[in-house]
Amino acid sequence: MERPENENTPHPKRHSGDGMDVTDGMDATGRAGGPGAEGGAPVRFDTKIAVLLRDDLHTWQRLNVTAFLVSGIGTARPETVGEPYADADGTLYLAMFRQPVLVFVGSKETLTAAHTRALTRELPVSVFTSDLFATGNDRDNRAAVRAVPKDLLDLVGLAVYGPRNAVDKAFKGARMHP
């Protein structure tokens, strides 16, 4: 059963009790035919982790900004992190997010509007400003952000976590990263 690309299309689901919907025949992104969750049906999440990057960044900047931004989500919201990984030989690996991270791009104006909407909706937000490209450590990063009022931040990226609908509304006008 192929599911339409529209995220708002109703689909059969069972709630698992931990913020996830167990959705028959769909993968973690909500598409049909994907691999299932360990020992059970595929999972569709009630929440969303999303990153919005300014569309004029160089590739290396996009990667760097994304890495910094999502680290804020993982540390502030431990429920977003799954269990540690292990291979067949028993080698242990670090835990990662339990759900996909969606990456979007948009203009400076789109980013500013998304920042305002995310704060209005009281979503947890991590920010990366253009000033942070000139710093080399967390102390200086925090000082650079603290020195500028929120409405004047020169945002190059932000990440949010929260209910799917609230994140979708906050990122209205952004497009999926190519």
Side-chain angles (χ1 to χ4, degrees):
M1 166 173 116
E2 191 68 28
R3 184 178 166 288
E5 291 298 313
N6 181 347
E7 291 181 11
N8 298 320
T9 303
H11 56 278
K13 62 185 177 181
R14 298 182 313 273
H15 193 69
S16 68
D18 63 357
M20 297 181 286
D21 291 328
V22 179
T23 307
D24 294 324
M26 296 182 194
D27 69 10
T29 64
R31 292 188 175 84
E38 186 176 319
V43 175
R44 180 168 173 87
F45 296 93
D46 291 332
T47 57
K48 186 179 277 189
I49 300 171
V51 174
L52 175 55
L53 302 170
R54 204 163 73 191
D55 56 11
D56 62 349
L57 298 179
H58 296 289
T59 301
W60 73 266
Q61 291 173 315
R62 291 178 187 211
L63 296 169
N64 184 266
V65 170
T66 299
F68 270 92
L69 289 171
V70 297
S71 72
I73 301 293
T75 56
R77 299 299 177 140
E79 71 272 16
T80 63
V81 179
E83 297 296 321
Y85 286 66
D87 62 25
D89 298 320
T91 305
L92 297 178
Y93 303 99
L94 296 173
M96 296 186 281
F97 285 127
R98 66 185 185 102
Q99 67 189 87
V101 175
L102 301 175
V103 181
F104 297 85
V105 294
S107 67
K108 182 175 184 170
E109 295 76 21
T110 301
L111 209 58
T112 300
H115 179 246
T116 300
R117 288 191 296 262
L119 293 176
T120 300
R121 286 173 172 71
E122 299 181 350
L123 295 171
V125 178
S126 54
V127 296
F128 198 104
T129 67
S130 63
D131 296 332
L132 303 189
F133 289 124
T135 61
N137 61 73
D138 184 56
R139 181 195 68 226
D140 293 340
N141 287 349
R142 287 182 284 110
V145 172
R146 189 177 316 112
V148 181
K150 74 174 176 246
D151 293 337
L152 299 177
L153 291 171
D154 185 18
L155 296 168
V156 298
L158 64 95
V160 300
Y161 168 72
R164 293 176 61 84
N165 288 344
V167 172
D168 291 343
K169 288 176 183 175
F171 277 22
K172 182 181 177 183
R175 61 191 186 282
M176 288 296 294
H177 190 281

